[in-house]
Every structure is written in structure tokens, then in C-alpha cells.
Amino acid sequence: MISGTPGGATSSSSSATGMLPAVPLLALDRQYDVLRDEIQAAIREVCDSGRFVLGPDVSALEDELAKVLDVPHVIGCASGSDALLLALMAVGVGPGDEVLLPSYTFFATASAVTRLGAVPIFADIDPETFIVDPADVRRKVSRRCRAIIPVHLFGRTADMDALLPIAAEAGVPVIEDAAQSILSTWHGRCSGGLGDIGCFSFYPTKNLGGAGDGGFLTTTRDDLAKQLRLLRVHGMEPRYYHDVVGINSRLDSIQAAVLRVKLPHLDTWTSQRQKNAARYDRLFAAAGLAEHVITPSDETRGRHVWNQYVVRIKGGQRDALRQHLSACKVGTEIYYPVPLHLQRCFAHLGWRHGDLPATEQAAEETLALPIFPELRADEQETVVGRIAEFFGAAPAGGDGAEARGGQPAGGSEEPSAVRQPHFLRRAVGRADEVIS
């Protein structure tokens, strides 16, 4: 497992401020501590079986995920990045084709396109949701467009009511980048079952994370499921016979075994993330920080699963605030500091500053705060208190919904307004070597 951060928060408060000495951005060790014996037993069983690649645990995990997500087909693969590549291969994207996607996303969304010789066409985002703007997608659809990739960013499903008709009119498939959004919904249907193919990641920082790299794809189409299963094993069927050229992208049995231990807990962990998001909303409101901080909105048309809780910092103060929080040992991250259209590797595409104003503004103003399921109420009070301290506002004080001193976010008490159903640079409160 990815290790937790050294010097993580304790339940003792600073005597001078009443706030904790540190709050981690991530604390994967807390989750592992609870499941340690089950995970280690599952790994031993795989080792004893000798079935390490695409073994029985992989097939069982695929079946279990299909039931949870209510889709007929789940196909495991080696990573979320490979899931995107396999999806594009399965729908026939190739050299010279265009693929529409947001610039405000992790690099893999665009790199999968370029690896096939296709051209990423970047669309701007809705400044409130950070999700791709359907109106800009519509403006940029051309005759060369071969696919649209909406990204369900930070755990929130993209506006599929608007995007699906655009794709239908253009006659192109929709590939959902759902790497951050497992269990998010849209009008009651899970992400991954809304378009033609869904792409998910099992990277350890995701809401359902493994003990290393892993990913999977979903589809409701039998033809695409068959093609995806073929492409993930070099296009080989039967053994050593190849009608198409695929890639090597098989899910390890050890990863599947670990994920099968975790999957039954996913809905509870997701509810804990929702409660944490609701608590942040109350704490920020109590602190009177609206002049300086814009908190993220919820999604009324579906379930937001809060892989990240990303705020906007007004007045050009984001970087200074982050420096202050780092000095106070409060973990934060910037998703994403450089939009994809301005990355050096895409300079040949000709994008310039000002081409995607909402995206560029988000890259300058957004900051992700700790939101993991095991985050405690007193840790959240410290996060908001330190932000209030920076802006000279009164600390938020107690939340009033849960007791201090270690009460888990998913405790028995229900908050009054429960929300409905990365590359990570080194910073205080991070897991080691988190990249997505």
C-alpha cells in the first residue's frame, strides 16, 4: 500500500490555537489498519494459488463490479491510463482523428489520444463545476471528430443530458473518463454506464484504490466488451493467434484480491466523503469566509462522490494560502496547476494563453483540501481554522454535528444536510509518490 504521511494528525490540539498540529491530505494507512488482516489473507490466497494474472479473483471482481454499477460488462486492465487507451482503440480512433476532451483534467486523458496519433481538441469548463462545458464541446465538433471524452472530475458526473445528444448528432461514441467517480450517478444511473465505454482507475488514492496500479472498463455494448477483452491481451485469441494488434494490459490477481476486500465498504466510504463535504460547507459558512473562498457546489441530478473537495481562492491568494497551510502542516494539492492545452508537450498544437479562460482561471485559483473518508471532524475544523487564520477571520469553531477527539466522519450521527446520492506534487500531508 502507499504509506501514510509521517507526522500525521493526532487528537491533541495546539494549546495556543486550539487547532491540531497537522492534518494530512491523505491517510491511506487508516483504511489499511482496519482491513489489514483481510487484505493480507487475500494476498496469501493468491500467492498460494499461483494464479497471478487474470486469475479467478479478477473474474470475480469484474462480476461484483458489474452488479454494483449495474452494467453488463466490466473488463479489468492494468491502469486507468490504459483504460482510456483501450477504449479509444476499441472505437477505432487513429491517426488524424480528433477527440474532444477538457483541458482541465489529468494528463492521461489527452495522452491516450496522442499515443494513437489522434489530435486532442480541448474544450473549456463550466467555472462553477469545473466540468467540461457542453456548449464549448458543441462549438468544437468537426467532421474529423471521432469521440468525445467527458471527464467526471473530482467525483461529479458531467452533464450527460447535454453531452449525449451532441455525440448522437455527430455520430460519435462517448467515452467516460470516470477515474475519479466510481459510484457517482446521473439520474440514478452510475457513471460508466451512461456512454459507450467507461474508464476507471484503481490507483491507491481513488475512492476504491488498490495496492498499486490497476483499472477497468465498463460498457453496455456486447461488441465493445468483446473487443476490449481482446485488445487487453495483445489481440490474442486463441493463444498465440492474433487478428488485431492489442496491448498488454492485464489486471493482476493480487490487486483484484485486495479490491474485493475493499469493494463491500465502498458505499459507506462514499457516504463518509459526502458527510465530510457537507461539514466543510457548514464550517466555511460559520467562519464567514465567503469573501475569500468559494466552496464547491453539489450535484442535484445525481450523486457526487467527492474524490476531491476543491475550493476557489479569490484575490490571487491561492499560492500564499497554500504556503501558509503547508507551514501549519495542513495537506493540500493543486489540481491542476498547468492546463493540458498549455503543457509544453502540446505546444505544437498551437494553443495559447486566453484560449480557455475558465480553465486557466481554475488552474490559478483552485485548491484541494483533505476529504478522505476517515477524516475526523476536529481535523476539518483545523483545516478551516487555518484558512480563517490566514485571512484574519474568526476560526470556525466546533461543527456542532459531531463530537471532537476522533469521532470518524462516518459515525452514527447524521449531519443536518447530508449530500445526496493528479499528479500530486510533494507537499505536507501527502501520500508518497501519488501521481494521479
Side-chain angles (χ1 to χ4, degrees):
M1 299 294 292
I2 285 184
S3 61
T5 304
T10 67
S11 59
S12 60
S13 299
S14 166
S15 58
T17 65
M19 290 183 276
L20 298 172
V23 180
L25 176 63
L26 298 163
L28 302 183
D29 53 326
R30 299 186 192 180
Q31 186 179 96
Y32 179 64
D33 284 346
V34 176
L35 301 175
R36 180 188 306 271
D37 291 344
E38 291 179 73
I39 288 174
Q40 291 182 351
I43 292 173
R44 282 196 301 271
E45 288 183 15
V46 173
C47 292
D48 290 343
S49 76
R51 304 283 298 277
F52 291 105
V53 178
L54 292 181
D57 276 297
V58 174
S59 297
L61 176 65
E62 290 174 342
D63 291 343
E64 290 160 6
L65 283 167
K67 291 178 182 178
V68 169
L69 300 175
D70 194 24
V71 291
H73 303 290
V74 169
I75 301 96
C77 63
S79 69
S81 299
D82 274 4
L84 289 160
L85 180 62
L86 287 163
L88 290 166
M89 293 171 69
V91 300
V93 169
D97 292 339
E98 294 180 354
V99 178
L100 271 160
L101 66 151
S103 173
Y104 193 65
T105 180
F106 181 59
F107 183 73
T109 316
S111 67
V113 175
T114 59
R115 286 177 65 184
L116 295 175
V119 180
I121 303 298
F122 298 112
D124 212 348
I125 58 171
D126 180 321
E128 179 182 345
T129 66
F130 308 123
I131 304 292
V132 70
D133 178 7
D136 201 37
V137 170
R138 182 180 291 278
R139 282 192 292 269
K140 291 174 177 173
V141 172
S142 77
R143 294 180 180 178
R144 292 180 296 276
C145 181
R146 292 296 177 268
I148 296 173
I149 307 180
V151 178
H152 305 321
L153 195 67
F154 303 147
R156 181 176 188 152
T157 311
D159 185 352
M160 302 302 281
D161 289 349
L163 291 166
L164 289 173
I166 295 171
E169 290 169 18
V172 301
V174 172
I175 297 172
E176 300 173 65
D177 184 340
Q180 300 179 4
S181 70
I182 188 168
L183 287 194
S184 76
T185 64
W186 189 257
H187 299 308
R189 296 173 57 196
C190 284
S191 58
L194 303 167
D196 293 271
I197 302 176
C199 303
F200 293 81
S201 171
F202 288 134
Y203 195 77
T205 59
K206 298 299 188 285
N207 291 20
L208 180 62
D213 276 315
F216 71 99
L217 302 105
T218 55
T219 184
T220 59
R221 290 174 50 180
D222 294 346
D223 60 329
L224 288 177
K226 181 179 180 180
Q227 186 76 346
L228 290 167
R229 293 188 186 279
L230 185 64
L231 289 170
R232 71 171 174 178
V233 290
H234 295 290
M236 182 170 61
E237 180 60 38
R239 193 168 181 82
Y240 304 129
Y241 289 80
H242 304 261
D243 289 336
V244 297
V245 177
I247 64 174
N248 175 22
S249 184
R250 299 170 294 197
L251 182 62
D252 293 342
S253 295
I254 286 178
Q255 295 299 334
V258 170
L259 291 160
R260 291 187 68 203
V261 172
K262 290 187 168 190
L263 181 57
H265 303 275
L266 178 59
D267 189 60
T268 297
W269 292 338
T270 301
S271 295
Q272 289 171 350
R273 288 176 178 272
Q274 292 175 292
K275 292 175 183 179
N276 290 346
R279 185 186 297 111
Y280 267 135
D281 290 348
R282 295 193 301 274
L283 289 170
F284 275 111
L289 288 167
E291 181 181 350
H292 307 288
V293 180
I294 301 174
T295 56
S297 61
D298 203 349
E299 177 55 68
T300 60
R301 293 165 291 184
R303 188 186 195 188
H304 194 323
V305 299
W306 299 101
N307 179 249
Q308 302 293 341
Y309 187 90
V310 176
V311 298
R312 280 187 184 271
I313 307 302
K314 300 180 183 180
Q317 295 275 60
R318 191 269 310 276
D319 292 342
L321 171 61
R322 190 177 188 224
Q323 185 176 7
H324 168 75
L325 293 173
S326 179
C328 296
K329 294 183 170 56
V330 172
T332 63
E333 191 44 80
I334 298 171
Y335 303 107
Y336 299 92
V338 181
L340 295 186
H341 71 287
L342 298 179
Q343 294 284 350
R344 184 178 300 175
C345 64
F346 294 136
H348 66 284
L349 297 176
W351 294 88
R352 298 288 184 268
H353 282 279
D355 286 343
L356 302 177
T359 294
E360 293 166 26
Q361 184 178 7
E364 295 173 355
E365 295 182 345
T366 54
L367 189 66
L369 306 179
I371 189 66
F372 57 93
E374 300 82 10
L375 189 67
R376 301 193 309 266
D378 56 347
E379 291 176 318
Q380 291 189 265
E381 290 166 13
T382 294
V383 172
V384 178
R386 292 300 187 187
I387 294 173
E389 179 181 73
F390 174 81
F391 287 112
D399 175 48
E402 283 107 77
R404 292 175 61 91
Q407 171 67 30
S412 59
E413 294 185 58
E414 293 291 329
S416 58
V418 176
R419 294 178 178 271
Q420 294 301 310
H422 303 160
F423 42 90
L424 186 65
R425 295 179 297 171
R426 292 189 175 276
V428 174
R430 52 94 173 103
D432 294 335
E433 299 299 336
V434 176
I435 62 169
S436 172

